[in-house]
Amino acid sequence: MATTIENHVEADSEAVLSLCAGSSLAKGQIIFSPDSKYLFCCSGSVVKVFNTTNGQCAQQLRGHRDAVTGLAINPVNKLQLFSCGLDGVVNRWDYSDGVLLKSHSFYMPLYGYVSVDPSAKFVYAIARRPQASNCCVVHLSLRKSQKNTSSKGDNSQQTSSDSVKTDVLVPLCSADHRTVTQGCNDEYIASVHGHELSVHRCKKRTCRKFTAEKNNPFTCVACHPTEYCLATGHANGKITIWWDIFSKKNSVMSFNHWHSLSVQALAFTPEGSYLLSGGHECVLVKWQMNSENKDFLPRLGTPLHSITSSPDGTLYVTSHTDNVLQIITSNFHIEHAIRGLARAHLGIEDPSKPIPVGLLCDPRSKALVTNGRPGHLQFYCMNTDTQLFNLDIVGQNYVSPDNLKKPLVVTEVEQAAFDRSGNWLATFEHWDDGQMTPEYRIKFWSYNRKQQNYQLNTTVESPHTQVVGCLQFRPQSKSQSPHTPAMVSTGADGFFKLWILVSEAQINRTVERWTCDSVGYYRDRPAGMARFSEDGSVLAVAFQKTLTLWEPEDNVMKATLSLPTCNKHIKFVEFGGKSCSHFVVTTTDSHLTVWNLISLSVHLRVSLSVAVLTTDGDLMAAVTTDQDLFVFRPSKWEPIFKKEKAVENSVISAIFLPQTAANHSSATQNGGHLNWQKQSRLYLLDCKQQLFTPDYLGDVTSAQKDSSRSGVSLQQTLPQTPFSTILSSSRQGEDMSTISVGRAPGRQLPHGSSSASVLDVMNTAVPTMEPFHAICGQFIESLLIRNKGVGESMEQEEESEEEDEGDSMATDSS
């Protein structure tokens, strides 16, 4: 009899699934700090601050409740950052300390900044107003605001409703920040939308429009920083330079055409002497203005999404469709690559193209392994939220298609498996364009301890005549003597094959390679999911609606398990572990069934449409097609954790990763509510390639508060001012003593200087400081060194000479 879920467990209202990785680094705006030492980018609801010197994440600013889309430096205070997001909130940060200063709510989604007023009293932003279907550029006033506060147990931001004041400047634009920009010292705003280019003067509130060629719409726009000039990219790869855009006569146009596909990104350098462009060709092009000279940086891996130049023009950053940022010097040398969770299929969010490998765990590094860019496997560290490395499986470079609507068929890695020790990795790759003979290939990779990477050991061409559906290594039993390493592969051709490792003696050495040992089949049905038991003594292979049990040593079938009343095909097979090792779980489109291997009978059956099933010892996690999450033990159907509508999008894979000291603390908080995650933490991957993990609302709220308050101070090198010149000159030639002042440890004063005025100035926060003219005189006097009189200096010289003579006499007597 089928068991009803609602009779056994109630949903946990405190449980949430928090986003832990997979947010895009490339979609939102990317900017540099004024000294070009730090890089700010949007990553989901977090603003990440990267050090351009080493490429490491130095700060995470948490304060938004939805995706962050826009970033801008405060013109009044270069140590402050503005951020906006789809939650309709504009936040002002002290990014050097990671502190949220103020928050403004506008109750409409914001898609990016166009510019910030020099007085920081208002901003131009891309927004979608309430009950509007299109985006526009609006004028948002920041004069009335309220500091961000959060009540106990509530993460919502409380802001004053009277801060909402919007004026529309550009009535129609795209929600992409690459299509709207401001130039010529913020005098005008240029926007492209389809075949129309609009240029709006901010002060005069006038507009001039231009039209693109037929069947060649605009794709992006960039404005010159100092001249009435702008550049537009087109779908056919052409770049148009528009001169004298406000001339009463027709504007002058010039054309640059190197790209064969649509131009995706344009950016001028700060001085305006160069134009940077990029697109699907994976090439960064540097055009010299008023000249035909251009430079190229090819083979950047994947198509470019956006380009940003640093304020000093020495660094460029390119974002790519596979969720990678590359920091490049002005002479085209790649300094660092900042890699998020790489987007398979080059970031195409299409449920019809799931992640074929799913989620795997590297037994050595405990890293998450899944599909990366085409033909690669990525190893991702969840503790540091960084990609460790990419493993090139197919050995093919990405080739840009001639027609973006018909992308080229690439060789995909569709299956992968690790053995329990991490010494071996098996992969299956597939290529099929529908016209030529398909290519099937299984590769075995051995781990090289010296190089700390996997190296190709064996390649098997056409291991099956059809697609391989599963790869699984045979576990080595700890209680029994180790057996020969083996692996099973199943194919849609109706066969499963057992592969074993053999040794061959050559002239000077012994070489290990993998070979097929035996082949099995059952009634000419296609072979589906295959799994070994925990000790490796039993092999279970699904053939449509029948589960077959085999002896791995001699490949003899021992039993078959099926229900006469079930006509659904088996999708998932998982063996229990530890105390539940005598159970095997199967799922179909309508039911979850637990079989007892001792009695070869049904232990329990539940009406459940399971989309994803994963196991960790005696625990199993099932996600339904309605995104309901259940964590249970196969011995009884009493879920120890349940969350209805756990995530918004459909889940395509799940895995338990071993807990480490870095993320183990949250599992023991709240009275042990997450005790089932003490050993391993559950991760879910949705169709948008985002990773979620079960947590409790109190833990998430406290973690966000701690992150926003306890940031690491960032050292800044701002442009030199008369004040910094006086301070630095007084330090030359003197011993320096380091003192901790306010939130910026490491500030230094001249040795012996304990003037109260110096300490008051350096300890006082900038917003609360008195006018500079009121404290300038006293502060300068405290820094001046008192001149010594002539007589006093001569007496000191005589005393020093007498001391030197006494020292020399003492040396002679000794």
Side-chain angles (χ1 to χ4, degrees), residues 512-575:
E512 293 181 330
R513 66 178 182 88
W514 288 82
T515 184
C516 182
D517 180 63
S518 59
V519 180
Y521 60 94
Y522 179 76
R523 295 185 179 179
D524 295 332
R525 297 178 181 176
M529 186 70 70
R531 286 292 184 266
F532 284 98
S533 60
E534 186 181 31
D535 59 357
S537 60
V538 180
L539 171 63
V541 183
F543 290 90
Q544 292 183 347
K545 64 178 183 179
T546 303
L547 182 67
T548 60
L549 303 179
W550 302 75
E551 178 70 35
E553 296 293 342
D554 50 12
N555 201 17
V556 175
M557 187 171 65
K558 296 297 184 180
T560 60
L561 304 175
S562 63
L563 292 173
T565 58
C566 179
N567 295 322
K568 304 289 186 178
H569 293 176
I570 296 175
K571 296 173 57 179
F572 296 98
V573 178
E574 293 290 351
F575 277 94

Side-chain angles (χ1 to χ4, degrees), residues 242-255:
W242 305 76
W243 302 91
D244 297 331
I245 52 178
F246 295 113
S247 175
K248 295 182 179 180
K249 300 180 180 180
N250 293 332
S251 300
V252 179
M253 295 183 294
S254 61
F255 303 97

